[in-house]
Amino acid sequence: MWKQLMTGAALPIAAAGLYMWKEAFRNEVKETVVTDDRFPEKAPLALFFISDIHRRRVHPSIISAVKGRADAVIIGGDLCEGGVKKERIRENIRRLSSIAPVYFVPGNNDYEAGIEQLTAMLARWQVTVLKNSWAVLADDVYLLGTDDLSEGKSDKAALFHNVPVSAFKIIASHNPAFVRIIEPEDQVAVLLSGHTHGGQIRLGPWGMYEKGRWKNAGGIHMLVSNGYGTTGLPLRLGARAETHLITICRPGQTT
């Protein structure tokens, strides 16, 4: 009888484990159009955002889904972690670089893996590393990239240095908590982040962190992504893996 009970319990446990594994290894590109009348009157801007890759290999289907459609790629931190083979990191950088120019902001696990070596690999593929610095994506459209907040390396003053007040500002920050540092007078339009994995394993509405989503944060279009990879066990529940194709435009513009 005891053996039968154990066998009966093993099947649903195995099924649940398989489901959670599949959720962790999904290859999904979520498409979002962000309309904002502060955006300069020009063609829409398409950004591919991927965060928290960790140990995963970026699947070719992700690349083919956005290649030719994105104007820039933003890696939102935790490109890797300690113990990930250099060959895998290089291949992920190569694949993402085939889409469009790439911009990278560090995450806490990138420091664990060795930020100096990682920066050298990124340089080989002409990836722009933003550590409390910025780059111009288009006329009067600025991408500001923070260094990692949880490592105590973010510097808001350096981040905004010489950025025109009137510019349309997009911030990429691995840690979404950076939003607490932003003031209304900073006139930030968009903030892209990850780090939390959406809680990774959730029981209904409950999880260690809020489920990834878009939200309005004091007039800022803010994304907290569930991320692409996992930390610890390669399992997800209620916070499936995701990447993002984000089109920013003025209301009424054709996308």
Side-chain angles (χ1 to χ4, degrees):
M1 175 66 73
W2 179 248
K3 184 181 291 186
Q4 290 175 331
L5 289 172
M6 291 295 291
T7 302
L11 290 174
I13 291 172
L18 179 59
Y19 174 79
M20 293 167 70
W21 183 86
K22 286 184 176 180
E23 290 290 275
F25 286 92
R26 282 187 177 272
N27 293 293
E28 181 176 9
V29 179
K30 286 189 170 181
E31 299 193 24
T32 304
V33 176
V34 174
T35 58
D36 194 307
D37 57 14
R38 294 170 291 182
F39 189 70
E41 295 191 36
K42 55 176 78 262
L45 178 69
L47 306 174
F48 177 62
F49 181 73
I50 182 169
S51 70
D52 302 281
I53 297 172
H54 289 281
R55 294 181 174 272
R56 286 193 70 178
R57 189 187 301 274
V58 178
H59 197 271
S61 65
I62 294 286
I63 306 301
S64 61
V66 297
K67 196 169 185 177
R69 302 177 64 197
D71 299 303
V73 174
I74 301 171
I75 304 174
D78 283 4
L79 169 60
C80 58
E81 62 181 46
V84 179
K85 292 182 178 180
K86 292 182 176 62
E87 291 76 14
R88 174 158 296 191
I89 302 170
R90 291 191 190 100
E91 181 60 16
N92 281 338
I93 297 169
R94 185 193 70 79
R95 292 183 182 185
L96 292 170
S97 297
S98 72
I99 299 170
V102 181
Y103 301 85
F104 166 81
V105 296
N108 52 302
N109 287 113
D110 297 314
Y111 279 94
E112 173 189 302
I115 194 68
E116 292 80 11
Q117 290 182 335
L118 181 57
T119 300
M121 282 190 271
L122 290 163
R124 179 182 175 186
W125 296 98
Q126 290 79 52
V127 173
T128 301
V129 177
L130 298 176
K131 297 170 68 175
N132 302 316
S133 56
W134 49 265
V136 179
L137 297 182
D139 290 343
D140 213 27
V141 179
Y142 282 62
L143 174 64
L144 289 67
T146 71
D147 207 339
D148 189 59
L149 182 68
S150 60
E151 290 288 320
K153 297 180 181 294
S154 62
D155 184 335
K156 181 183 171 183
L159 180 67
F160 281 86
H161 184 64
N162 282 341
V163 177
V165 174
S166 61
F168 187 87
K169 304 179 191 70
I170 304 165
I171 291 184
S173 172
H174 178 64
N175 194 323
F178 190 81
V179 74
R180 301 172 190 164
I181 302 172
I182 301 172
E183 302 291 341
E185 55 266 30
D186 296 324
Q187 298 184 35
V188 173
V190 179
L191 191 150
L192 307 175
S193 63
H195 181 57
T196 66
H197 298 200
Q200 191 164 312
I201 295 177
R202 308 183 60 83
L203 297 175
W206 296 283
M208 289 185 64
Y209 296 99
E210 183 181 21
K211 187 175 181 179
R213 64 186 179 97
W214 282 94
K215 57 185 175 182
N216 186 303
I220 300 171
H221 305 279
M222 180 176 178
L223 170 65
V224 183
S225 176
N226 288 337
Y228 188 64
T230 57
T231 187
L233 294 173
L235 301 173
R236 284 181 177 268
L237 182 64
R240 62 174 49 172
E242 61 186 17
T243 65
H244 307 268
L245 183 63
I246 304 156
T247 302
I248 306 173
C249 62
R250 291 181 62 85
Q253 276 188 321
T254 303
T255 60

